[in-house]
């Protein structure tokens, strides 16, 4: 990628002010893409913690075991879904009313995001609102063993913000020691036959342990109220594409996204009733297994307080099982100023699930 890439990487070379961080900043500052030595996740985590030494500690979240009856012979596949909040939107467009500007400083906020990823070490990582792919996530995550793909929004609202870092978009990462890439597609979603500003990435992966194929999609649908039918049309377009890419639901599927839609919306209902036989993983955390969590995003804008369930991990319910899911933050943990905050870097919570295949060729199930 030549000089353009070097320019993008140079953002990583910024000196961190924290004196405690100075002994630990080797990885966060490594600017040379030609010498991408592997990073030990523990050391990067230590480096992030040193940068964050003056902030309150990370929130404790526990995994809830959901399927302990039948053991699996292969390690589970951990999937993380997260709208990480684009830096340009957080500082320039979202109008957060209670979040101090210092909590949004990129040099520290990026460490909170990395800390969250490193704490759970997903095998597959699906992100939205990524506007620091080339200078932060791609170089660091590739050194942790991930292969990444980024697909920016064609008219990202980040570009309207002064001193932006480029467009935001979706990113999909997978651990190369667990998967081989079989097929990758970037989709610009349509609504009523027109191209829209929303995108998806869909990849077919082959599991190295079991040779089973898995199709993974990441998307971020149109935001705001008044756009419900538009989101529904975008969802229909994504479902149509997924029908083809899974060869008519033959390949097990996981769809991660910020759907910007409550479960009452048509787009949710269309996903829940599609012939792809999808179920939403986080419903399993509810007592009856039928209800979505009360919120996945909680923020106070100058226009008011917004508490919504918008983010989902859909999975093929006949071919995959959810073995565990990371519990959400409580209202008390989130605090009165809501999100983002000094403790949590985004207005959306991360969702993390452990999956296993129901029919493992050599399995015990
Ligand atoms: N330069 C140009 O010619 C063009 C520019 N644009 C820009 O793109 C924007 C529209 O793009 P589009 O992708 O459809 O945007 P969306 O309506 O999907 O929203 C974009 C982002 O804004 C966030 N958002 C949601 N609600 C609010 C709110 N009430 N206040 C502030 N931010 C909010 C969303 O975050 P979340 O998902 O977390 O809720 C989302 O990431 C326009 O406003 C314009 O800035 C668009 C077309 C052409
Ligand atoms: Mg947002």
């Amino acid at each position: 990628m030549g000089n353009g890439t070097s320019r993008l990487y140079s953002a990583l070379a910024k000196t961190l002010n924290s004196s405690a961080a100075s002994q630990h900043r080797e990885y966060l500052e490594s600017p040379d893409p030609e010498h991408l030595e592997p990073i030990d996740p523990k050391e990067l985590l230590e480096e992030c913690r040193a940068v964050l030494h003056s902030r309150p500690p990370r929130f404790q979240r526990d995994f809830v075991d959901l399927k302990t009856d039948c053991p699996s012979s292969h390690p589970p596949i951990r999937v993380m879904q997260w709208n990480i909040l684009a830096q340009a939107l957080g500082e320039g467009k979202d109008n957060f009313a209670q979040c101090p500007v210092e909590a949004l400083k990129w040099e520290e906020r990026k460490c909170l995001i990395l800390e969250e990823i490193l704490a759970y070490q997903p095998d597959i990582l699906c992100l939205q609102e990524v506007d620091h792919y080339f200078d932060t996530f791609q170089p660091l995550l590739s050194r942790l063993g991930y292969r990444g793909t980024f697909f920016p929004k064609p008219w990202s609202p980040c570009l309207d913000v002064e001193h932006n870092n480029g467009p935001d978009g979706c990113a999909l990462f997978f651990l190369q020691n667990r998967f081989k890439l079989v097929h990758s597609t970037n989709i610009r979603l349509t609504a009523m036959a027109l191209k829209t500003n929303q995108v998806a990435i869909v990849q077919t992966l082959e599991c190295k342990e079991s040779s089973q194929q898995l199709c993974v999609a990441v998307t971020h649908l149109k935001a705001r109220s008044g756009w419900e039918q538009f989101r529904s049309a975008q969802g229909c377009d994504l479902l149509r594409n997924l029908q083809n890419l899974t060869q008519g639901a033959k390949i097990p599927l996981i769809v991660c996204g910020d759907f910007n839609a409550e479960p009452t919306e048509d787009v949710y209902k269309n996903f829940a009733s599609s012939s792809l036989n999808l179920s939403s993983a986080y419903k399993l955390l509810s007592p009856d297994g039928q209800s979505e969590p009360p919120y996945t995003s909680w923020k106070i804008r100058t226009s008011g307080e917004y508490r919504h369930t918008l983010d989902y991990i859909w999975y093929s319910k006949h071919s995959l099982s959810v073995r565990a899911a990371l519990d959400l933050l409580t209202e008390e943990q989130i605090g009165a100023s809501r999100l983002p905050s000094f403790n949590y870097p985004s207005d959306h919570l991360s969702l993390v699930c452990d999956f296993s295949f129901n029919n493992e060729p050599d399995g015990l199930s």
Side-chain angles (χ1 to χ4, degrees), residues 16-25 46-54:
L16 299 168
N17 293 326
S18 159
S19 57
S22 60
Q23 310 145 27
H24 297 279
R25 63 192 185 205
E46 231 176 78
E47 194 177 333
C48 288
R49 286 185 177 151
V51 173
L52 299 168
H53 73 286
S54 61

Side-chain angles (χ1 to χ4, degrees), residues 282-304:
Y282 264 70
K283 280 201 311 186
L284 295 170
L285 284 184
S286 65
D288 63 355
Q290 298 300 312
S291 316
E292 290 290 349
Y295 50 83
T296 61
S297 173
W298 201 340
K299 64 207 118 197
I300 303 174
R301 291 196 162 112
T302 45
S303 50

Side-chain angles (χ1 to χ4, degrees), residues 83 85 89 93-95 129 153 155-160 168 197-198 220-224 227 230 258 260 297 299 301 303 306 310 347-348:
N83 176 332
L85 173 62
L89 299 183
K93 287 235 166 188
D94 267 287
N95 301 316
E129 293 200 25
K153 293 170 71 166
W155 291 102
S156 163
C158 294
L159 300 175
D160 296 340
D168 76 306
N197 202 23
Q198 278 63 40
H220 184 191
L221 302 185
K222 170 74 185 159
R224 298 163 211 270
W227 292 85
F230 195 84
D258 172 359
N260 267 311
S297 173
K299 64 207 118 197
R301 291 196 162 112
S303 50
Y306 299 88
L310 307 173
D347 54 331
H348 291 253

Side-chain angles (χ1 to χ4, degrees), residues 121-124 144-147 173-179:
Q121 301 201 17
D123 300 302
I124 296 170
L144 291 165
Y146 289 91
R147 174 170 174 159
F173 293 89
F174 64 85
L175 273 182
Q176 297 192 84
N177 63 5
R178 294 214 61 190
F179 302 101

Side-chain angles (χ1 to χ4, degrees), residues 6-14 107 110 132 135 165:
S6 306
R7 185 181 53 73
L8 288 164
Y9 273 72
S10 67
L12 275 182
K14 271 188 191 159
E107 287 306 314
K110 78 174 178 192
H132 276 271
D135 63 9
N165 195 56

